[in-house]
Amino acid sequence: MSGFLTTHILDTARGRPAAGLKIDLYRWQGEERTHLRTLVTNLDGRTDEQILPAAEFERGDYELVFHAGEYLRATAHIEDEPLFLDLIPIRFGMNEESHYHVPLLLSPYGYSTYRGS
């Protein structure tokens, strides 16, 4: 089995998946950060393809950057600037050939994540 990476974003303030939220994936090697791809969530709050497919999987340090501010401005009718949450970076390591699932539970004033299944 080869590893791969997925996510699922839920808008907990609205009680539904976060559709249309942009995500950037980066790989870290020492102090160097390399952009790998940009994806946008579908109506189910997931990406249409794996964020990091099995064919491109490498063990190492990664970062997902969730563009929460753009999404919150478009959906939550938030007028306060600056927003409390804008970009949400999550750095994590993948050290085994496995499915890594990094979900995001999002509201205008907080978020949580974990390694899902």
Side-chain angles (χ1 to χ4, degrees):
M1 173 181 186
S2 185
F4 60 98
L5 174 64
T6 60
T7 192
H8 187 204
I9 306 171
L10 297 174
D11 181 335
T12 58
R14 298 174 63 214
R16 61 182 71 158
L21 196 147
K22 185 168 80 170
I23 305 163
D24 286 313
L25 173 66
Y26 297 90
R27 179 174 168 103
W28 282 90
Q29 292 178 295
E31 296 299 314
E32 184 177 326
R33 182 173 94 154
T34 303
H35 182 261
L36 299 178
R37 67 177 30 90
T38 299
L39 298 162
V40 177
T41 56
N42 59 25
L43 293 176
D44 193 35
R46 301 173 189 272
T47 57
D48 288 333
E49 58 192 63
Q50 296 169 348
I51 296 172
L52 185 63
E56 299 172 31
F57 181 86
E58 290 184 58
R59 295 177 186 189
D61 296 317
Y62 291 85
E63 180 179 48
L64 288 171
V65 177
F66 297 91
H67 292 255
E70 291 175 15
Y71 170 81
L72 292 169
R73 283 182 188 95
T75 61
H77 309 290
I78 296 175
E79 297 174 11
D80 297 334
E81 290 290 341
L83 294 177
F84 181 69
L85 293 175
D86 191 3
L87 297 175
I88 299 174
I90 299 174
R91 284 186 64 179
F92 57 96
M94 295 192 292
N95 60 12
E96 60 186 41
E97 300 275 331
S98 182
H99 176 192
Y100 284 83
H101 184 69
V102 181
L104 184 72
L105 304 176
L106 175 65
S107 79
Y109 300 101
Y111 68 92
S112 66
T113 190
Y114 53 93
R115 181 177 176 186
S117 59

